[in-house]
Amino acid sequence: MKAERAGTKRDGRWLGLYVLAYLVFLYLPVLLIPLFSFNDSIQAAFPLQGFTLQWYQTLYSNPALSGALVNSLVIATVAASGATLCGITVSYMDLYGRSPLAATISGIARLPILIPGVIVGISLLILINLIGLGPSRVAIVLGHILVALPTTVVVMRSRFAAIPRTVREAALDLGASDWTTFRRVMLPLSLPAVLSAFMLAFLISFDEFIVVFFLAGTDPTLPLYIWSQLRFPRSLPTVMALGTVILATSFIIAGTAEILRHRGLGAARRNPA
Amino acid sequence: MSTLVAAQAPEARSSSGFRLAMLLPGGLVTFLLILFALGLVLFLAFRGNDGSLLGVGLTVDNFVTVATDPLYWTVTLRSLVIAGLVTLATVVTAYPVAYYLAFHAGRRRGLLLFLVTLPFWTSYLLRVFAWKIVLAYNGVLNSALIESGIWSEPTLAFLNTPAAVVVTLAHAYAPFAILPIYVALDTIPKSLLEAASDLGARPFTAFRRVVLPNSMPGVLAAALVVFVPTVGDYVTPAMVGGPASTMIGTLIQSQFGKANDWPFGAALSVCVMLVILAVVLVARSADRRFGSRT
């Protein structure tokens, strides 16, 4: 028993080194982008040239970029709201609705994970053209609701499932209607998860490219703008400066979502009744 | 799960208004956007191309072309091989990370889980672009090799190869693989491992006979979430792949763009979905086999 324990500890150390190497593999390429965004050269290559902020300055007064940024922010906000609303209702009805319809909806809502982005994109492209909408911001919002839906459903489902069933039953037994129970009891209890689902959906929409490629009309989103700039070697340093800003913002939002999710789950465990 | 819910829930007093309001948003999105849109793709795949939105007539010509033109076979096969390699590489490299998280991480577990999933929340486009910086002719890898004296001249051998596509995608989808495997490993009761060692199993035997089979549902889930987006990807092949690594996603995309043959693009999409369906069914049956063992 003792020898076995020692063995696992040694294994743990080797595995720990492996995990460290894996994290380097994960982060090294990504961190090259901020590194070269301060480099005074068009080429992204070693050795580094001087330190400069000029690429950030070119970001600052760029109407095409700020247009794309505003577009992305608006679309991500609307799409994340829609996806979160659907995530809340779909998972709530799936867990408490007791109807085959609710279970079916929940099943289909998680389906987009099993559809490659290119197919989600073209199927929506056909649909929006058929109903006469055409490529537009509304189309992008619909596409992003679809892409973010599995995530919001999964986040909300696990949160609702973590709330003891007795809480809801008590509310119903005390005479609260379904509406009141949902609005005054279940929703406040799952608020951290709602915020977390919203933020994750926001990030997914904000970064999404494969689907949006088919649905965008005349106003590009930020990823589409980046894609259009990647063709020109001269604009690559500016793309890296932009990328750095996006990386930093995404890291902050993802971190906040993670903290909220933990706080929510912790509260559910500490405070079962 | 759902049977439990049905058994325990109190007598439903849901007003129909409540049910309608709660089912409506999700119902609209799932039925209209997902099922109807996919149905349209299926319908379009059996139409001829006359330049109009929904095509003309009813035909299987599109599928005949896919089945008989060697170009599509080559590209489909290549997509499957590349997606398969990406899946294999991602799952094999992710497994030890998930194992460490489940059995050794201790108090650092939360932080490590966060660090491992964080890259997923940053732009996919930027991660692919980062690999382009690494692999390019005057890129980081080449310049580092020359600076350090290992290489005397930059090589073209890194960028625009199928290997570049595999590495880039394995990097992009790493968090997808780690999470499901970790979840599966984490649900294995520690007492099972103690029982194995008490019964005289060496650590490796215990791993092979107890841990690995019990984690297979997670491995299969991981393989699926890596394989599905990879097989239809068209961004990475375009950015780091070069012409020798054109994948089926690129062909689909060009049918809806340059080639302007939507019915044919729809038929290609249906074929991709059939392949994925087959993979899902195989994974499901494998999952059931492992599930019945525990």
Side-chain angles (χ1 to χ4, degrees):
Chain A
M1 190 66 194
K2 234 178 192 171
E4 204 264 331
R5 271 257 168 93
T8 44
K9 229 176 203 167
R10 207 179 54 226
D11 293 349
R13 204 166 309 147
W14 282 111
L15 268 176
L17 281 177
Y18 176 81
V19 172
L20 212 63
Y22 196 86
L23 284 176
V24 171
F25 164 71
L26 270 189
Y27 282 89
L28 202 58
V30 177
L31 293 180
L32 287 173
I33 291 175
L35 180 69
F36 285 117
S37 74
F38 296 109
N39 187 29
D40 193 7
S41 161
I42 298 268
Q43 292 291 359
F46 290 113
L48 292 169
Q49 310 297 309
F51 176 88
T52 178
L53 288 174
Q54 60 165 313
W55 314 120
Y56 288 87
Q57 275 158 4
T58 53
L59 275 188
Y60 194 63
S61 50
N62 183 338
L65 169 68
S66 43
L69 175 67
V70 169
N71 203 25
S72 264
L73 289 174
V74 170
I75 286 169
T77 308
V78 180
S81 309
T84 309
L85 174 72
C86 292
I88 294 170
T89 52
V90 164
S91 49
Y92 191 81
M93 289 315 272
D94 183 21
L95 287 173
Y96 304 109
R98 289 209 303 159
S99 79
L101 180 64
T104 311
I105 290 177
S106 171
I108 303 172
R110 282 170 285 166
L111 195 63
I113 292 183
L114 291 179
I115 308 170
V118 61
I119 296 178
V120 173
I122 59 132
S123 60
L124 281 174
L125 176 65
I126 301 168
L127 178 70
I128 58 168
N129 278 322
L130 185 72
I131 60 177
L133 187 61
S136 59
R137 281 199 234 190
V138 181
I140 303 174
V141 166
L142 294 178
H144 283 178
I145 289 179
L146 223 56
V147 176
L149 194 58
T151 307
T152 60
V153 171
V154 167
V155 169
M156 291 313 301
R157 252 181 78 99
S158 67
R159 181 67 186 104
F160 281 134
I163 300 174
R165 331 200 114 261
T166 45
V167 172
R168 180 172 162 275
E169 284 163 18
L172 290 173
D173 284 345
L174 291 169
S177 70
D178 277 304
W179 274 116
T180 316
T181 308
F182 175 70
R183 204 163 42 85
R184 301 283 300 272
V185 179
M186 299 304 276
L187 208 52
L189 275 177
S190 53
L191 198 62
V194 174
L195 290 177
S196 163
F198 179 87
M199 277 187 236
L200 297 183
F202 186 94
L203 280 183
I204 289 172
S205 166
F206 195 76
D207 281 341
E208 205 288 325
F209 174 78
I210 290 186
V211 171
V212 86
F213 184 81
F214 295 95
L215 306 176
T218 44
D219 347 86
T221 61
L222 206 53
L224 280 168
Y225 174 79
I226 295 175
W227 178 254
S228 71
Q229 295 301 302
L230 287 177
R231 268 176 301 165
F232 311 113
R234 294 213 140 262
S235 56
L236 290 187
T238 316
V239 170
M240 287 192 269
L242 176 58
T244 307
V245 178
I246 296 176
L247 283 183
T249 318
S250 301
F251 281 7
I252 291 168
I253 298 181
T256 315
E258 176 74 7
I259 290 167
L260 282 171
R261 204 175 61 82
H262 267 272
R263 189 165 294 173
L265 286 177
R269 270 186 225 114
R270 272 197 313 277
N271 193 13
Chain B
M1 182 65 112
S2 56
T3 51
L4 253 174
V5 172
Q8 287 184 357
E11 199 46 53
R13 284 169 297 183
S14 309
S15 65
S16 52
F18 178 77
R19 296 177 60 83
L20 184 69
M22 293 291 280
L23 286 173
L24 199 62
L28 275 179
V29 167
T30 53
F31 282 101
L32 187 72
L33 287 188
I34 302 178
L35 288 189
F36 188 58
L38 286 181
L40 276 176
V41 175
L42 189 61
F43 172 71
L44 193 59
F46 289 97
R47 302 281 277 180
N49 184 29
D50 66 343
S52 70
L53 175 58
L54 285 179
V56 62
L58 215 54
T59 169
V60 290
D61 283 358
N62 297 319
F63 291 99
V64 172
T65 313
V66 177
T68 51
D69 190 328
L71 168 72
Y72 298 105
W73 278 106
T74 317
V75 175
T76 307
L77 215 58
R78 185 190 295 147
S79 309
L80 289 177
V81 169
I82 289 183
L85 284 174
V86 171
T87 308
L88 189 71
T90 315
V91 169
V92 168
T93 53
Y95 197 97
V97 180
Y99 188 89
Y100 183 84
L101 279 166
F103 294 116
H104 294 287
R107 228 184 287 160
R108 281 161 300 178
R109 177 188 286 188
L111 178 68
L112 276 176
L113 258 177
F114 176 65
L115 281 179
V116 158
T117 46
L118 188 58
F120 166 69
W121 300 114
T122 69
S123 169
Y124 165 66
L125 216 52
L126 288 175
R127 277 177 287 158
V128 180
F129 175 57
W131 278 100
K132 194 172 178 166
I133 300 176
V134 173
L135 301 171
Y137 179 72
N138 35 32
V140 171
L141 193 56
N142 268 319
S143 55
L145 285 171
I146 290 165
E147 281 292 302
S148 59
I150 298 171
W151 231 278
S152 57
E153 234 166 82
T155 168
L156 275 169
F158 300 137
L159 199 64
N160 296 332
T161 55
V165 177
V166 173
V167 173
T168 305
L169 285 172
H171 177 259
Y173 289 109
F176 283 91
I178 294 172
L179 274 186
I181 301 175
Y182 160 72
V183 170
L185 285 170
D186 198 42
T187 51
I188 299 175
K190 297 279 188 293
S191 55
L192 222 56
L193 292 178
E194 279 164 27
S197 86
D198 284 351
L199 291 171
R202 288 163 183 282
F204 182 69
T205 314
F207 172 77
R208 200 171 52 84
R209 302 282 301 268
V210 178
V211 177
L212 193 59
N214 275 301
S215 65
M216 276 321 268
V219 170
L220 291 170
L224 223 52
V225 279
V226 175
F227 182 83
V228 168
T230 303
V231 78
D233 191 74
Y234 62 88
V235 175
T236 304
M239 273 176 80
V240 300
S245 21
T246 303
M247 284 168 68
I248 195 82
T250 316
L251 288 189
I252 295 176
Q253 186 241 310
S254 69
Q255 297 305 316
F256 283 82
K258 265 177 283 172
N260 203 17
D261 189 348
W262 288 22
F264 188 65
L268 281 174
S269 308
V270 170
C271 294
V272 171
M273 286 308 293
L274 285 177
V275 168
I276 289 173
L277 190 68
V279 172
V280 170
L281 289 178
V282 169
R284 270 246 174 119
S285 73
D287 197 24
R288 235 170 255 144
R289 246 195 39 224
F290 286 108
S292 63
R293 265 168 103 159
T294 49

